[in-house]
Amino acid sequence: MGDEVRVPIVYDTDIVAARSEGRRMALELGFSRTDATLLATAISEVARNILIHAREGIITISSSLNDEIAEIVVVATDEGPGIQDVEMALRDGYSSSGGLGLGLPGVRRLMDEFRINSEDGKGTEVSMTMWRRQ
Amino acid sequence: MPVPILKQGDFLIATVQSALSDREVLQFQDDLAERVGSFRSRGVILDVTALDMMDSFVSRAFRSMALMAKLKGAETVIVGIQPEVAFALVQLGLTLEGVNTALDLEEGLAFLRSLTRRRTDGR
Ligand SMILES: Nc1ncnc2c1ncn2[C@@H]1O[C@H](COP(=O)(O)OP(=O)(O)OP(=O)(O)O)[C@@H](O)[C@H]1O
Ligand SMILES: [Mg+2]
């Protein structure tokens, strides 16, 4: 069983759309309300990062379920300026834009797996996973 | 208006009805600042029972709303934060530091009344 949804992030209302899709898919997969909320919060943060730091991008949410594991994978991609120093961006309190710099380190705590691929000048891909044993 | 703000005596009660976009959050922030000033309110209740998550943007906005209200002489209480929403906030690394919270509307009102009563007594 599986499902995949792509949400283009262009306007602020798309942030709401992306996190609602994530919540819906998590609940459909049998995740708890708490897990669905953690996921929605993480999606909201990466979606806003796209809007603020890269102007636009796409969030793909896919779910899969087998005998052992239920899993949701979220991939946020954009062709914005990229992140020069990923290590630094993952530090609590680092922000290039006067934000709190909590987003990325916080998202890492909300999710089970978290990875950033970014090349300076060539965009950013954040992929993150939440999984639960059946 | 995405968030209705009702006047009840010295207090304002703002009830978030559904998920808010960033723009709606900013609109709400402006509306509330304007009301607190024009009604010279002493207290603000921010009812977020309907919110199914709070991310860094919205919690930052709520914190600055509370601060802004305070500068205008009104104390703010956020009521109705769902347990899983509070849990996600903590995981994210955020605290609603310096913001009063209460379980529900009733408790929030009781808190505001006790505050304003204390202030009046002290005068
Ligand atoms: N999609 C992206 N494209 C380019 N740079 C990004 C992207 N996402 C994050 N960054 C960079 O990483 C930094 C840290 O991101 P993070 O989300 O932790 O903080 P923030 O967005 O600046 O502040 P906050 O999320 O607390 O409002 C950002 O300031 C920005 O420089
Ligand atoms: Mg951010």
Side-chain angles (χ1 to χ4, degrees), chain B residues 1-6 13-20 47-51:
Chain B
M1 187 173 36
V3 183
I5 303 170
L6 298 179
I13 302 179
T15 310
V16 180
Q17 308 277 332
S18 62
L20 299 174
D47 189 345
V48 300
T49 311
L51 282 188

Side-chain angles (χ1 to χ4, degrees), chain A residues 11-13 15-16 19 23 33-34 37-38 40-41 44-45 48 51-52 92 98-103 105-107 109-110, chain B residues 19-24 51-58 60 63 82-95:
Chain A
Y11 304 107
D12 65 339
T13 46
I15 301 177
V16 182
R19 70 186 183 223
R23 171 184 299 275
R33 260 174 57 140
T34 301
T37 304
L38 297 178
T41 309
S44 196
E45 292 295 330
R48 183 167 301 97
L51 210 59
I52 290 179
D92 259 320
L100 292 180
L102 275 173
V107 167
R109 286 188 290 266
L110 292 169
Chain B
L20 299 174
S21 71
D22 295 1
R23 210 163 311 181
E24 287 169 334
L51 282 188
D52 61 13
M53 65 110 244
M54 285 170 65
D55 59 14
S56 62
F57 184 84
V58 82
R60 194 175 314 164
R63 230 169 24 191
Q82 300 301 306
E84 62 270 17
V85 174
F87 179 65
L89 260 183
V90 171
Q91 294 290 101
L92 194 59
L94 279 167
T95 55

Side-chain angles (χ1 to χ4, degrees), chain A residues 49 53 78 82-83 89 94-97 99-105 124, chain B residues 60:
Chain A
N49 274 355
H53 303 296
D78 64 66
I83 301 178
Y94 171 78
S95 171
S96 63
S97 61
L100 292 180
L102 275 173
L104 290 179
T124 302
Chain B
R60 194 175 314 164

Side-chain angles (χ1 to χ4, degrees), chain A residues 43-89:
Chain A
I43 293 175
S44 196
E45 292 295 330
V46 295
R48 183 167 301 97
N49 274 355
I50 288 180
L51 210 59
I52 290 179
H53 303 296
R55 281 195 41 205
E56 59 176 62
I58 290 180
I59 291 193
T60 306
I61 311 168
S62 31
S63 64
S64 64
L65 183 66
N66 63 36
D67 291 345
E68 282 141 41
I69 282 178
E71 185 179 71
I72 297 223
V73 181
V74 179
V75 182
T77 48
D78 64 66
E79 294 176 357
I83 301 178
Q84 250 177 41
D85 187 340
V86 172
E87 289 265 315
M88 181 125 91

